[in-house]
Amino acid sequence: MLAFEEYLKENGLKITNQRLLVAQKIFSSHNHFTAEGLLDELKDNKDRISKATIYRILAIMVEAGLLEEHDFGKDYKYYEHIIGHEHHDHIICMQCGRIVEFIDERIEELQNKAARENGFTITGHSLNIFGNCSNFANCEHKNKK
C-alpha cells in the first residue's frame, strides 16, 4: 500500500480515504477479483464508493504497475495485485470460471528462445490457457464466478 501512496504523491494525485480503502482491500487478498466484486465487498463501508471511482482507482493502480488487468474471456476484466507475487500464468475454466495459477520453467524457456530467435527482448508476457475442468459435473468450483 505504501507503493500506491508514493505513486500518488510522485504523480501529483490526491491521497484520499477512498483510494486508501480500495488499496487496503486489494492488498489484503491474494485472489483475482473484478471491479464489481470489489464494489460488493466495499458496499458496507461508511464511505460509499461509486463504481466509476472504483474503475478510476483500478486504472491508476494498473498504470502504477501495482495491478495486472486480465481478460479471461468474460464480459469484464479480472485484476490481481503483483506486489510480492512471482510471475505466473493462468488456466481458466470457461464453464465454471475457476482460475488456476501455474509456473512452468519449460514454457518460460521456450518463450525466451522464441524471442531471441526472432530478435526480441521480452519486457513482459501473459499466458492464459482456456478450457474446461476435466470433471465439470463434479467441479467444486462450478458455483464460483
Side-chain angles (χ1 to χ4, degrees):
M1 196 157 98
L2 186 59
F4 184 50
E5 288 183 52
E6 287 181 18
Y7 179 85
L8 293 173
K9 285 179 192 172
E10 290 171 4
N11 289 278
L13 300 170
K14 291 181 182 176
I15 299 173
T16 65
N17 287 339
Q18 289 181 328
R19 287 177 175 168
L20 294 178
L21 179 67
V22 169
Q24 180 181 11
K25 188 68 170 172
I26 289 170
F27 292 123
S28 69
S29 172
H30 295 285
N31 297 319
H32 298 87
F33 64 92
T34 64
E36 292 289 333
L38 183 59
L39 187 60
D40 285 345
E41 288 185 38
L42 294 169
K43 70 181 175 189
D44 293 334
N45 190 299
K46 65 180 181 344
D47 298 323
R48 295 278 180 206
I49 301 177
S50 71
K51 185 188 295 189
T53 299
I54 292 285
Y55 277 103
R56 282 193 298 273
I57 294 169
L58 292 175
I60 291 169
M61 294 180 86
V62 169
E63 184 178 298
L66 303 172
L67 286 184
E68 279 190 356
E69 182 180 75
H70 299 286
D71 182 351
F72 289 151
K74 305 288 184 184
D75 292 335
Y76 42 84
K77 303 287 185 201
Y78 278 87
Y79 299 87
E80 67 178 321
H81 74 82
I82 57 177
I83 293 179
H85 288 228
E86 188 175 359
H87 165 76
H88 57 269
D89 297 307
H90 301 95
I91 302 173
I92 303 98
C93 177
M94 297 307 294
Q95 297 296 316
C96 72
R98 182 168 64 127
I99 301 167
V100 176
E101 297 178 351
F102 71 97
I103 299 170
D104 189 322
E105 290 303 320
R106 296 169 299 177
I107 291 173
E108 300 301 316
E109 289 172 20
L110 286 171
Q111 291 172 140
N112 289 331
K113 180 180 179 211
R116 274 192 316 275
E117 289 174 354
N118 289 287
F120 282 83
T121 300
I122 296 176
T123 59
H125 81 273
S126 175
L127 174 63
N128 297 322
I129 300 172
F130 299 95
N132 296 317
C133 291
S134 298
N135 190 356
F136 179 70
N138 296 321
C139 181
E140 64 186 72
H141 302 278
K142 68 181 171 183
N143 293 320
K144 288 186 179 180
K145 292 193 179 191

